Amino acid sequence: MCGIIGYLGKKNAAEEVYCGLERLEYRGYDSAGAAIIAADGKICAVKKQGRVENLKPYLRDIAGAIGIGHTRWATHGKPCDKNAHPHLCGGLALVHNGIIENYAALKAELVADGEEFLSETDSEVIVRLLKRNFKGDLLAALARTVERLKGSYAVMVICEGIDAIAVAKNRSSVILGYGNGEYFCASDEPALAGKCADICVPDDGDFAYITADGIEIYNKTLQRVIREKRPNTAAAQSLDLGGYPHYMLKELHEAPATIKNTAGAFAAVEDKLKAALCGVDRIIILGCGTAYHAGLVGRRYFEQFARVPAECENAGEFRYKNPVVTNKTAVFAISQSGETADTVEAARLALALGAEVVAVTNSLNSALTRIASVTVPVAAGSEICVAATKSYIGQIAALYLSALAFADCDRDGALKRGLAEMSALCGKTLGQVNTYSLANMCALSHGVYFLGRDIDYAVALEGSLKLKEVSYIHSEGYPAGELKHGTLALIDGDTVAVALIFDGGLAEKSCNAVEQVLSRGGRAAVITNVDSVKKRFAGRAQVIGLCACDKFLSPVLSAVAVQKLAYETAAILGRDPDKPRNLAKSVTVE
Ligand code: F6R
């Protein structure tokens, strides 16, 4: 993971690097650092544990026009100053995003040869190898160095005495930016929004050499190559909180607009999607974390509307199980960022095995969209909070519409109109749902168990993930009927069971699980739109009543309730829901 940025031009490089790092901070906030070639030609570096803002006072006085920076999500070595990038050695400074899988062997070899390491990171082996390979030609030395690396890397290097930035890339993203007499390299496009007119995405194995004369791109054998440039259309994220105390709450309130905009954007891809899915007899949905949970809901749509076998798998698992895929399989890869390494690589594998790959994403120019033959847009806008909220609801809307298109079962448009109505219902739910008392109960508990059946179970998993992620309270999601097969042993007066009950037909069955919890002295809550369930538990459990809606669209409402519950629990406990500990928004490593 991590975010990296490089600048070469006429402006103050420290300021440009800092601005880029602020925009890239969602990729990790364990530490940050920058290295600038100062006026005297020497490298001036700063690295600090914690957030990017910690660098500000140190960068203020550094003058120079060439610089690189890094914001870290720790993989090898704890978050601390010494493990922060850039790594420095012999007049070189290097930032790295990715994982060097053979670093232990390389490090042992270098240590045996007298090299002294200053950090616990995998990345430091790159700069130490580079120093040994450097004989005056930075690019040639970098090419020789990466030949030894196994794993994923986007690397940027500067060197005292050379007015250039050298870049290498393999399975980690790098975008090159062409401005007016200035050049950029960055982990993603939004970091370059408004900074340059054109961008270019180099291929895996490519190198870039950035000087005041421009950017030269080379392939892995160091032959000059031309890669397509395109206009930089990235929009800078609005950092405006709009009066909300946190982005999580703000973005949750943007869910109704997400449903509406996703439905609007779908019209433009519907025919292309239908054509791509022609002849498909099996659907596999892939994603990680929240996106995987959206897939669990979406799977039911394909089964219900199209009556084809539909599975949903964790993308990281799919990659390593020798999956059965044919050229009649469609793989829907879901990812808010479009850059999640497990999802991108799983999609690449599915493509290689002959599947039709469809991306469902917010990020229309991401690694995932470059693999897919069709992209179904999730029009959620940018999501700054690390915990996904509106994007989950948008992904459900996108999958609902995709299943309808594939099944071709909504000739009169009634089902689509049903989704459109959910936008208003979602807004109403946000205004009315009161989860505060339950949040207080959860904040004082030792564990929270989310229960549900069928589609409610899929949302129970997401409710549990959201709560643990932002409040740090232990939580699990279970099928309501599964509780009695073991987990019931954990129920006591310090635990809370939250049952989601949105299907009148299954209500009685789910209620049994709540009764089992209550009769063992556990505390319970029901989040439901079934009137008989509201009445049954009034006075015995916390009842959070929501309005009636179509069973298949109920995840839109139940998601709002569990997301709000998680937010309020985090707020009660004084956690920062926007940047939970140990996490990052975009998980670009395996
Ligand atoms: C949880 C959350 C994560 C992401 C997961 C996949 O709130 O946001 O679980 O859903 O890391 O990320 P994307 O969707 O970018 O592939």
Side-chain angles (χ1 to χ4, degrees), residues 288-291 334-337 340 386-388 395 465-466 469 587:
C288 296
T290 292
I334 311 175
S335 173
Q336 181 278 134
S337 61
T340 296
V386 165
Q395 286 162 0
L465 175 64
K466 208 81 331 173
E469 178 179 20
V587 188

Side-chain angles (χ1 to χ4, degrees), residues 214-351:
I215 303 181
E216 292 172 352
I217 303 178
Y218 298 84
N219 65 13
K220 61 170 71 130
T221 55
L222 285 192
Q223 307 299 310
R224 273 290 293 276
V225 286
I226 305 293
R227 303 286 180 225
E228 191 194 346
K229 269 196 221 172
R230 58 182 161 79
N232 176 16
T233 52
Q237 285 182 329
S238 163
L239 297 177
D240 182 12
L241 270 165
Y244 290 95
H246 295 104
Y247 291 110
M248 184 174 180
L249 193 59
K250 175 180 182 248
E251 289 164 2
L252 178 49
H253 279 84
E254 288 165 357
T258 299
I259 298 172
K260 193 163 163 242
N261 296 339
T262 299
F266 185 77
V269 297
E270 182 164 8
D271 288 344
K272 193 171 175 199
L273 180 67
K274 275 185 178 167
L277 297 183
C278 184
V280 160
D281 65 5
R282 181 162 157 247
I283 304 286
I284 299 177
I285 306 180
L286 302 175
C288 296
T290 292
Y292 165 67
H293 293 158
L296 289 173
V297 175
R299 172 186 67 175
R300 292 288 287 113
Y301 298 151
F302 284 97
E303 286 172 346
Q304 180 67 20
F305 300 138
R307 304 303 298 156
V308 294
E311 301 142 57
C312 175
E313 288 205 44
N314 176 283
E317 289 297 308
F318 177 84
R319 290 175 62 187
Y320 296 111
K321 64 161 221 176
N322 191 12
V324 179
V325 170
T326 71
N327 59 5
K328 288 187 168 178
T329 306
V331 167
F332 280 69
I334 311 175
S335 173
Q336 181 278 134
S337 61
E339 300 289 348
T340 296
D342 283 325
T343 309
V344 170
E345 293 306 323
R348 216 188 294 280
L349 172 66
L351 184 70

Side-chain angles (χ1 to χ4, degrees), residues 52-65:
V52 168
E53 65 185 4
N54 295 344
L55 297 179
K56 201 166 196 170
Y58 302 92
L59 289 179
R60 202 169 288 143
D61 300 327
I62 306 179

Side-chain angles (χ1 to χ4, degrees), residues 300-575:
R300 292 288 287 113
Y301 298 151
F302 284 97
E303 286 172 346
Q304 180 67 20
F305 300 138
R307 304 303 298 156
V308 294
E311 301 142 57
C312 175
E313 288 205 44
N314 176 283
E317 289 297 308
F318 177 84
R319 290 175 62 187
Y320 296 111
K321 64 161 221 176
N322 191 12
V324 179
V325 170
T326 71
N327 59 5
K328 288 187 168 178
T329 306
V331 167
F332 280 69
I334 311 175
S335 173
Q336 181 278 134
S337 61
E339 300 289 348
T340 296
D342 283 325
T343 309
V344 170
E345 293 306 323
R348 216 188 294 280
L349 172 66
L351 184 70
L353 293 173
E356 191 69 45
V357 176
V358 179
V360 178
T361 182
N362 270 18
S363 309
L364 300 185
N365 289 314
S366 55
L368 191 58
T369 60
R370 288 193 283 278
I371 294 167
S373 59
V374 187
T375 294
V376 178
V378 175
S382 68
E383 197 174 56
I384 294 173
C385 175
V386 165
T389 51
K390 59 178 178 172
S391 64
Y392 170 71
I393 292 173
Q395 286 162 0
I396 290 174
L399 289 168
Y400 183 83
L401 293 164
S402 301
L404 291 183
F406 175 53
D408 203 14
C409 65
D410 188 32
R411 299 271 162 94
D412 64 358
L415 294 171
K416 261 193 202 162
R417 282 195 296 282
L419 177 67
E421 283 159 19
M422 290 311 285
S423 169
L425 226 46
C426 178
K428 189 172 152 198
T429 303
L430 270 163
Q432 290 178 351
V433 67
N434 185 350
T435 49
Y436 193 69
S437 165
L438 178 56
N440 270 301
M441 201 197 242
C442 292
L444 293 172
S445 74
H446 289 167
V448 180
Y449 299 90
F450 286 83
L451 309 174
R453 281 178 186 270
D454 189 29
I455 216 159
D456 292 337
Y457 166 53
V459 184
L461 289 174
E462 177 58 11
S464 167
L465 175 64
K466 208 81 331 173
L467 184 80
K468 71 179 88 158
E469 178 179 20
V470 297
S471 74
Y472 316 151
I473 292 170
H474 176 76
S475 176
E476 291 175 38
Y478 272 100
E482 186 67 12
L483 195 65
K484 57 186 178 291
H485 295 291
T487 307
L488 203 53
L490 294 176
I491 298 297
D492 62 16
D494 290 327
T495 56
V496 180
V498 180
L500 306 180
I501 308 179
F502 284 81
D503 178 356
L506 287 175
E508 194 59 39
K509 304 272 179 208
S510 296
C511 287
N512 288 343
V514 182
E515 297 289 3
Q516 288 156 18
V517 168
L518 290 173
S519 59
R520 267 111 189 140
R523 292 174 302 162
V526 287
I527 301 178
T528 183
N529 66 354
V530 180
D531 284 338
S532 60
V533 177
K534 293 179 195 168
K535 282 198 201 104
R536 176 170 174 167
F537 290 110
R540 297 202 295 139
Q542 292 231 14
V543 177
I544 295 172
L546 302 185
C547 46
C549 69
D550 176 80
K551 137 177 158 178
F552 286 103
L553 288 169
S554 66
V556 169
L557 303 191
S558 50
V560 164
V562 295
Q563 289 174 357
K564 197 163 176 200
L565 173 65
Y567 172 76
E568 284 175 339
T569 309
I572 289 164
L573 291 170
R575 317 285 193 222

